[in-house]
């Protein structure tokens, strides 16, 4: 089946630095990609929706200048957490949807710890 | 707007016993319904989905769910659970049409299978 690869699977960074997370669709073209954030023992909260070649659409309350999303190709989207703080520590998950809009696949997630 | 309610945050069950995980949704328009499973520190895997047609949907790992429009429910069931079914289960809803339509997740139910 289709696979979405997310990298890195975990990362530890110092407060004030930036971290980039990649999300790749390996065997299909992802017209749309979604970025979620999941706090411990909570549900996934959608952060933003991105279409290839367009600016991402952020959900209410998500700082677009802090969480930079780039969807430069049909197989790659990146999320950059800028000037990370400990409260940004979370599990970040991407998903990719194909051009039919009927199939969505999730990456394996990235555990970000800011110290 | 759509919303998903998973009333049970945790469901303990003995191995080989049947289980039902409850999901109710709210929407003013027709929807697609999904169940996902998440193992620790991993992304989400699709168990099953209801798009149209038969209201009884069969998925992977022996799970099934029944769409009940009048009760706005999409409960997940398995007749006999295994230790390996221990995981977090998320119900999700998406509106019809459009590749950018978002998945709205419930808060999740931890299925804890005990020997």
């Amino acid at each position: 089946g289709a696979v979405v690869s997310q990298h890195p699977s975990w990362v530890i960074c110092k407060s004030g630095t930036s971290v980039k997370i990649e999300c790749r669709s390996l065997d299909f073209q992802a017209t749309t990609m979604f970025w979620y954030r999941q706090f411990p023992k909570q549900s996934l909260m959608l952060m933003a929706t991105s279409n290839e070649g367009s600016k991402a659409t952020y959900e209410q309350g998500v700082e677009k200048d802090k969480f930079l999303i780039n969807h430069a190709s049909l197989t790659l989207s990146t999320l950059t957490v800028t000037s990370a703080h400990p409260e940004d520590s979370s599990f970040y998950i991407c998903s990719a949807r194909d051009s039919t809009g009927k199939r969505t696949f999730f990456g394996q997630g990235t555990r970000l710890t800011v110290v | 707007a759509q919303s998903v309610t998973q009333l049970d945050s945790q469901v303990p069950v003995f191995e080989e016993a049947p289980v039902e995980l409850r999901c109710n949704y709210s929407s003013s328009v027709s929807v697609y319904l999904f169940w996902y499973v998440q193992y620790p520190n991993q992304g989400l895997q699709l168990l099953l989905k209801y798009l149209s047609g038969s209201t009884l949907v069969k998925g992977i790992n022996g799970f099934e769910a029944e769409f009940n429009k009048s009760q706005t429910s999409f409960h997940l069931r398995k007749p006999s659970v295994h230790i390996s079914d221990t995981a977090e289960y998320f119900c999700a809803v998406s509106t019809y049409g459009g590749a950018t339509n978002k998945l709205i997740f419930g808060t999740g139910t931890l299925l804890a299978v005990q020997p």
Side-chain angles (χ1 to χ4, degrees), chain A residues 10-84:
Chain A
W10 61 271
V11 58
I12 302 173
C13 71
K14 290 185 177 180
S15 186
T17 62
S18 295
V19 174
K20 179 183 285 188
I21 303 170
E22 294 187 347
C23 181
R24 293 180 185 272
S25 57
L26 298 184
D27 56 358
F28 69 100
Q29 293 186 327
T31 308
T32 306
M33 287 191 173
F34 304 85
W35 286 95
Y36 295 85
R37 183 173 181 178
Q38 184 181 31
F39 290 104
K41 300 189 185 301
Q42 294 188 28
S43 187
L44 284 73
M45 300 301 297
L46 181 65
M47 299 174 67
T49 302
S50 72
N51 292 303
E52 183 266 336
S54 307
K55 288 185 177 180
T57 301
Y58 289 80
E59 295 298 301
Q60 191 173 7
V62 178
E63 299 175 61
K64 59 182 67 177
D65 293 331
K66 181 171 183 62
F67 298 99
L68 302 179
I69 292 172
N70 183 283
H71 192 167
S73 77
L74 285 171
T75 59
L76 174 64
S77 176
T78 60
L79 167 68
T80 301
V81 182
T82 63
S83 186

Side-chain angles (χ1 to χ4, degrees), chain A residues 38 43 46 51 97 107-108 111, chain B residues 38 41 43 99 101-102 106:
Chain A
Q38 184 181 31
S43 187
L46 181 65
N51 292 303
R97 180 169 290 172
Q108 68 269 41
R111 172 76 58 194
Chain B
Q38 184 183 33
N41 293 313
N101 279 357
K102 301 175 286 192

